[in-house]
Amino acid sequence: MALSPKSLTHLPTPLAAGVGLVVSGVEAARKLPVRAATLPITAATSAIRLKDVVRHEYDDLATRGADTMARLRGEPTAAEAAQAAEAAVEAVLDPFELSEPVAELVEDAAPGATLNHDELPLADYDHLTLGSLRARIRRLEAPELIQLRDYERAHANRLPVVMAFDNRLKSLAAEAPGAAQATLVDA
């Protein structure tokens, strides 16, 4: 008995699924040589991924265990120690600390973090090289330096640039301690 195209549309669902399975098997068999060739690469990639996942899980468990033991001994955890180290580094990186009243005056007078590019005391500030910037900041007063430092911290936060501002502020304070603070108060 020959099957006509019209009779094929009325195949029972299980029989249609069986035909689909045979077609899928034939297509997979055709792709087998290509898959066999790439199998070592696929297996190696999977092994590397698995190794990374296992390593990450192991490190996470080790960190949790160390943190638990530190808490039991009354010591800071690794995260707390890292925060303390970061605070110590920040204290070293910000050597020009102002007294509380002066710092509030500077904050009110020179909100550098909120300034737009066009409002900065140096034209085209974002495109200046570090060498060019160092030469130009020698002409600036303390409030302008603080504006630029705050702007830099809020935007690019380049450590050499922030340190250049801090060093210039320190040299201004060393040249005339009263004058530098008076400049800040007058601003």
Side-chain angles (χ1 to χ4, degrees):
M1 172 178 159
L3 292 175
S4 67
K6 187 174 183 178
S7 65
L8 289 177
T9 58
H10 297 293
L11 284 177
T13 305
L15 185 58
V19 171
L21 184 60
V22 169
V23 171
S24 295
V26 169
E27 288 175 356
R30 283 187 198 150
K31 295 177 183 176
L32 192 57
V34 174
R35 285 189 149 185
T38 61
L39 186 60
I41 296 169
T42 305
T45 304
S46 297
I48 291 170
R49 285 184 187 152
L50 179 62
K51 178 186 151 220
D52 289 343
V53 167
V54 169
R55 179 50 126 181
H56 177 70
E57 291 294 324
Y58 177 79
D59 289 345
D60 187 44
L61 288 172
T63 301
R64 286 182 181 188
D67 287 349
T68 300
M69 295 305 293
R71 279 192 209 103
L72 290 174
R73 290 190 302 254
E75 297 172 357
T77 64
E80 293 167 346
Q83 286 175 342
E86 186 177 314
V89 168
E90 184 64 32
V92 169
L93 294 179
D94 192 11
F96 189 78
E97 293 186 23
L98 302 172
S99 65
E100 190 69 31
V102 174
E104 287 177 15
L105 287 172
V106 169
E107 208 171 278
D108 292 341
T114 60
L115 291 178
N116 292 326
H117 175 78
D118 299 333
E119 298 172 321
L120 295 174
L122 289 178
D124 206 25
Y125 167 78
D126 289 326
H127 301 287
L128 295 176
T129 64
L130 182 58
S132 175
L133 183 64
R134 283 185 176 144
R136 293 182 186 198
I137 64 174
R138 289 188 182 116
R139 298 180 301 215
L140 300 177
E141 298 293 326
E144 296 167 321
L145 291 167
I146 293 170
Q147 282 180 331
L148 288 170
R149 183 186 64 179
D150 291 347
Y151 178 85
E152 179 65 29
R153 282 183 176 168
H155 294 88
N157 201 19
R158 298 167 292 181
L159 181 61
V161 174
V162 173
M163 288 181 69
F165 289 128
D166 287 341
N167 290 338
R168 181 63 185 141
L169 286 165
K170 280 176 37 180
S171 67
L172 281 177
E175 288 171 9
Q181 294 214 354
T183 303
L184 294 176
V185 172
D186 292 341

